[in-house]
Amino acid sequence: MTLFTKKENEKPDEERTNEMSTLGERLAFARKNKGLTQDELANHLDVTPQAISKWENNLSCPDILLLPKISEILGVGIEELLTGSEKREAAVRIPLTDNSKLRLKINISPVNKKPTKITVPVALVKKIARIGNGISGIVGGDTISSSQMEEILSLAEEGATGEILNIEADDGTIIKIEISQ
């Protein structure tokens, strides 16, 4: 049962219909259901109240990067916000990986030099990252910021695998980071 449809024995609600056809209607309903004003939601999302109003009146849509935070604040799944329906089961379910077995593979290929390949357990990289710059010294100074490394570790915790980063530094050095089991 979704937030946006009536329960079987529920009395009709003037604000809610069986089909809320727009994202704006669903956002407004979920916000009101949480007891938030447009100003309060705007403050949580670091946007203007006018932006919230535009979303709810279908004049614009929130940035896609805001959807996870909107979903969290309103207590409604992203798919439910976008479609009005609860998340459907995927045809194929991929089990989450055991994060303790994840490895961070770092390939550093400087121009006219032999490449360096490093494979480190993600758990160790997390500990190094807590100490300070740790990993940035390994992968070329300022080429990878601590915030980028935090994002890579976050992706690993969420079960992401594959090539996560492929950048070319100012000096032509190519750095590739991959998460694997």
Side-chain angles (χ1 to χ4, degrees), residues 108 133-146 148 175:
I108 305 167
N133 287 8
I135 200 74
S136 67
I138 296 172
V139 294
D142 295 332
T143 304
I144 298 176
S145 70
S146 60
Q148 287 172 317
I175 300 172

Side-chain angles (χ1 to χ4, degrees), residues 66-138:
L66 285 175
L67 290 177
K69 193 167 184 180
I70 292 170
S71 170
E72 180 183 325
I73 292 166
L74 298 179
V76 178
I78 294 172
E79 185 165 340
E80 191 173 354
L81 276 174
L82 293 175
T83 67
S85 300
E86 290 183 53
K87 186 174 183 179
R88 296 176 296 269
E89 287 295 316
V92 177
R93 292 192 65 139
I94 300 171
L96 289 177
T97 57
D98 179 1
N99 290 346
S100 67
K101 296 178 182 177
L102 292 177
R103 303 283 181 253
L104 199 63
K105 293 182 178 181
I106 304 168
N107 294 318
I108 305 167
S109 303
V111 178
N112 300 325
K113 292 185 181 175
K114 185 177 177 185
T116 302
K117 295 181 180 184
I118 304 166
T119 302
V120 186
V122 168
L124 178 61
V125 176
K126 285 184 207 174
K127 290 181 189 241
I128 291 171
R130 279 190 222 129
I131 294 170
N133 287 8
I135 200 74
S136 67
I138 296 172

Side-chain angles (χ1 to χ4, degrees), residues 2 14 24 31 34 48 89 97 116 150 152 154 166 172:
T2 76
E14 289 180 26
R31 175 185 56 77
K34 271 297 199 186
T48 65
E89 287 295 316
T97 57
T116 302
E150 287 174 21
I152 290 167
S154 174
N166 185 343

Side-chain angles (χ1 to χ4, degrees), residues 136-177:
S136 67
I138 296 172
V139 294
D142 295 332
T143 304
I144 298 176
S145 70
S146 60
S147 62
Q148 287 172 317
M149 187 51 66
E150 287 174 21
E151 187 64 29
I152 290 167
L153 293 175
S154 174
L155 288 168
E157 288 174 352
E158 293 169 11
T161 57
E163 189 174 282
I164 303 298
L165 184 70
N166 185 343
I167 59 175
E168 184 174 342
D170 292 339
D171 66 357
T173 299
I174 296 174
I175 300 172
K176 292 181 184 179
I177 297 183

